[in-house]
Every structure is written in structure tokens, then in C-alpha cells.
Amino acid sequence: MSVKESFVKIKSINLSIKNMKKRENYISWDECFMQMAFLIAQRSKDPNTQAGAVIVDQNNIVVGLGYNGWPRGIDDESLPWDRKGVFLETKYAYVVHAEENAVYNANKSTKGCRIYATLFPCNECSKTIIQNGVTEVIYASDKYHDTDICVASRKMLDLSGVKYTQYQPKFKLKLE
């Protein structure tokens, strides 16, 4: 092939690229990370609540994932999953929330990151979020909005300048 023929071929390829348009029906970063939070929530052994969280940095790179469950090394059958009863006989004395686990599992500092969570964070998770420099919380459900735990959480997030926004996924995650 001559230099002239090569040039004509390259010009033809460049014209094809210029006419090609990007795919239009791709999901947003918010949708992507919230769906990832719902997916990681499926790892939870809790029979009542499956919560998930994803921490991402300013470049939309995943920094940490978490779901609600027992602390590492504790067998899933060793502690109660009950919601009602004496405190020490319920899951609430032992469970680590998804947001906390995402911070504990982070592969780098979470300072300046966003966290996507399937539930609005409780007051304890908000303390962890604030202390670790997360600057934004994006959550799907706020079903405990009026509880003291969530009122305290919002108060701390407001006072610390951590932004929080509800995001309703546009798609339902379906695993088959």
C-alpha cells in the first residue's frame, strides 16, 4: 500500500469516527452507585433489613463497600437476629451498619468522598461519616425519618456541613 493509499484509508476511518455518536441510554453515576449499594446489600444475612453502602471519590472511583452484618470473624448463627426483646437478645447490640462497614472496608482515605446508602444513615453512622471526612450522603429510603436516631443524624450532618440528598433509583435491581 502506498503512502497516498494509507492516507486515504486513515482519512476514511477518521470520518467514520466523527459520524459515530455515543450511546444515549446509559445510566448516571448516581444510578450506578445506588444500584451497587442495593446489590451489596444482598450480602446481608439479616432476615429483616438488607442495607448497603458504596463510597466513591471525586473521580467516581469506588473506595469502599459495606452491608449490614456482624463484625468480622463472628459466625452468622452466633448472635440473635431478633428485632424485639431485651437489648442483648436483639441484633441491635451487635450489628455493624452498611455505612460503617463501607468506611472500615475503604481502600484509601474517605476524605472528600460521597457515600451512597440504601437507607438514611443513623446517628452512629453519621458520626462515622463525619469523622472520616465524607462530604455527601446520597440515600434511597428515609423510612425512619421521624425517629430520634434520624433527627439526631440530620442535626449532626447539618452542623458539620455534610450534604445529604435523597435519590430514588430509576430502575429496580433484578437478579435472576
Side-chain angles (χ1 to χ4, degrees), residues 15-86:
L15 287 175
S16 296
I17 291 171
K18 286 181 184 177
N19 293 330
M20 190 179 300
K21 295 186 182 191
K22 70 177 182 178
R23 186 174 142 234
E24 293 184 13
N25 59 343
Y26 57 90
I27 62 175
S28 68
W29 283 118
D30 285 335
E31 186 73 19
C32 177
F33 296 132
M34 191 60 76
Q35 292 297 349
M36 288 175 71
F38 278 104
L39 180 62
I40 197 67
Q42 296 305 303
R43 288 283 309 137
S44 175
K45 314 308 182 300
D46 188 326
N48 297 297
T49 304
Q50 296 79 48
V54 177
I55 299 174
V56 299
D57 69 11
Q58 301 86 344
N59 295 311
N60 294 317
I61 295 171
V62 174
V63 172
L65 300 171
Y67 57 89
N68 58 315
W70 302 147
R72 284 186 187 96
I74 297 177
D75 184 73
D76 297 329
E77 304 299 325
S78 298
L79 297 169
W81 288 107
D82 298 307
R83 296 177 76 175
K84 294 183 179 176
V86 179

Side-chain angles (χ1 to χ4, degrees), residues 4 7-8 25-26 46-47 53 56 60 62 65 72 83 94 96 99 106 111-112 139-142 150 161 166-167:
K4 186 177 180 179
F7 179 74
V8 169
N25 59 343
Y26 57 90
D46 188 326
V56 299
N60 294 317
V62 174
L65 300 171
R72 284 186 187 96
R83 296 177 76 175
Y94 313 103
V96 180
E99 300 91 335
K111 187 173 183 174
Y139 62 94
S141 172
D142 194 12
C150 286
Q166 188 166 24
Y167 177 80

Side-chain angles (χ1 to χ4, degrees), residues 113-159:
C113 289
R114 304 185 311 277
I115 187 167
Y116 289 80
T118 57
L119 291 171
F120 187 82
C122 74
N123 62 313
E124 294 300 320
C125 289
S126 286
K127 291 175 193 177
T128 299
I129 288 165
I130 293 164
Q131 289 296 90
N132 285 277
V134 174
T135 57
E136 186 175 2
V137 175
I138 300 99
Y139 62 94
S141 172
D142 194 12
K143 67 181 180 178
Y144 302 112
H145 180 84
D146 294 323
T147 64
D148 288 348
I149 287 170
C150 286
V151 170
S153 179
R154 280 190 299 281
K155 185 174 187 174
M156 287 186 289
L157 293 171
D158 287 339
L159 290 170

